[in-house]
Amino acid sequence: MSDSSSQLLDDNALPGEYAVYQRFNREEDMLSVLEVLKENNILVRHASEDQGEWRESTIIGSPLQPKFWIEIPANQFEKANFMLQEAADEALSEEDLQSHPFADYSKKDLEEVLLEETDWSPEAVVVARRLLLSRGHDVDLAKIRQAAREKIAKDYTPKSGNRLVIIFFSLFGSFSGLSIWFTSVLIALGVLLYYVVGSRRDPKGNKHPAYDTPTRQFGRIGLGLMVVCTILGLLNFFYLHWVRFPEIDPWYWIWL
């Protein structure tokens, strides 16, 4: 089963309009989704294609690279969701329906699946809808979709960042810049950039800033202070010699 949960980090490194649509633990799951998408003329790239390699990276550490994944244009997310649900509906027999674990779910539980359909596989959404209908319950899709839109809007509302964290890394990065400690500068830079440009992509493929405008502006001030201090640190080290900081290990200069 694919994991369709959204990541906090934005996939800025992805080329063009492509974005990671789904991630998989098994190759066969990926291939079955690929088949449906290609049959419906949706442009797609996947894990085994060099040109489709996912280059989304973390701020610090190794790149995030699941074993199998699919990328499609962000503006085709909704179409892909619909087509996968249609394919699941056609493939699902009554026997499959009655033997599914959802068969024991209550009406409320099944409606919750429809409300949070982006957290479930297309097959699970179809099963929940058909079970409700088979039990004689009305499925008001317009009402459910409106509730789902409101939930997504709430989930993807930019949040307020921790000012103390921003202040700490701004000061830490500024001192590191004055001292020409590039490893520390990179650490502070990564944290502050996350506050400034970090974003999330919703199930429709739209990007939303991770943090609100005041937080992003506060982060920009910290970045600006870091840049100024780093420039002053370089001038001090090479020309002005105002202050002598502890000696720098030679390997630090590989970052230049």
Side-chain angles (χ1 to χ4, degrees):
M1 183 179 293
S2 66
D3 174 12
S4 59
S5 58
S6 300
Q7 300 296 311
L8 282 176
L9 296 182
D10 175 34
D11 29 354
N12 290 316
L14 295 173
E17 292 299 319
Y18 279 82
V20 176
Y21 175 61
Q22 286 188 7
R23 292 168 287 279
F24 307 84
N25 293 323
R26 302 186 307 170
E27 185 177 17
E28 52 265 39
D29 294 333
M30 179 188 72
L31 295 177
S32 65
V33 172
L34 273 176
E35 184 179 354
V36 174
L37 297 180
K38 289 181 177 179
E39 285 176 357
N40 288 280
N41 299 317
I42 295 176
L43 299 174
V44 60
R45 300 187 300 200
H46 59 90
S48 63
E49 296 177 343
D50 292 338
Q51 66 269 30
E53 182 180 357
W54 182 21
R55 291 182 292 276
E56 179 178 22
S57 59
T58 57
I59 294 299
I60 302 169
S62 303
L64 294 173
Q65 185 165 320
K67 192 170 184 180
F68 303 106
W69 68 90
I70 286 176
E71 296 172 0
I72 65 174
N75 60 7
Q76 293 192 354
F77 273 35
E78 285 189 276
K79 178 182 177 182
N81 291 339
F82 178 77
M83 292 304 176
L84 288 172
Q85 288 186 22
E86 288 287 296
D89 196 17
E90 291 176 7
L92 194 66
S93 67
E94 285 302 316
E95 291 77 13
D96 295 332
L97 192 65
Q98 298 307 321
S99 62
H100 197 278
F102 283 5
D104 296 326
Y105 276 29
S106 66
K107 176 177 180 288
K108 181 180 178 181
D109 291 335
L110 294 173
E111 288 178 341
E112 195 69 20
V113 173
L114 296 183
L115 177 62
E116 301 178 352
E117 67 173 57
T118 55
D119 295 331
W120 297 87
S121 68
E123 179 187 353
V125 174
V126 171
V127 169
R129 184 168 63 238
R130 284 179 54 174
L131 282 172
L132 283 169
L133 291 172
S134 68
R135 296 176 188 178
H137 300 303
D138 289 331
V139 180
D140 190 342
L141 290 179
K143 182 179 179 181
I144 290 174
R145 285 169 181 164
Q146 178 59 31
R149 282 193 292 270
E150 292 173 358
K151 180 178 183 298
I152 288 175
K154 181 179 178 182
D155 290 344
Y156 287 88
T157 298
K159 59 185 178 179
S160 178
N162 190 317
R163 294 294 181 92
L164 291 178
V165 172
I166 296 176
I167 291 172
F168 171 79
F169 279 99
S170 297
L171 296 176
F172 172 68
S174 298
F175 180 77
S176 300
L178 288 171
S179 309
I180 318 299
W181 296 342
F182 286 108
T183 301
S184 299
V185 167
L186 289 175
I187 292 172
L189 180 65
V191 174
L192 293 176
L193 279 175
Y194 176 69
Y195 280 104
V196 173
V197 301
S199 63
R200 299 180 293 170
R201 197 179 291 276
D202 68 25
K204 293 183 179 181
N206 301 316
K207 292 201 305 185
H208 303 268
Y211 292 98
D212 57 21
T213 301
T215 299
R216 297 200 304 274
Q217 290 176 340
F218 204 57
R220 290 189 188 99
I221 293 172
L223 285 174
L225 183 62
M226 271 187 56
V227 170
V228 170
C229 288
T230 302
I231 292 172
L232 289 175
L234 289 170
L235 289 173
N236 173 66
F237 183 81
F238 288 110
Y239 302 109
L240 303 177
H241 308 296
W242 286 337
V243 182
R244 277 190 71 85
F245 289 99
E247 233 174 280
I248 307 167
D249 292 337
W251 68 272
Y252 280 1
W253 296 101
I254 65 174
W255 298 105
L256 286 176

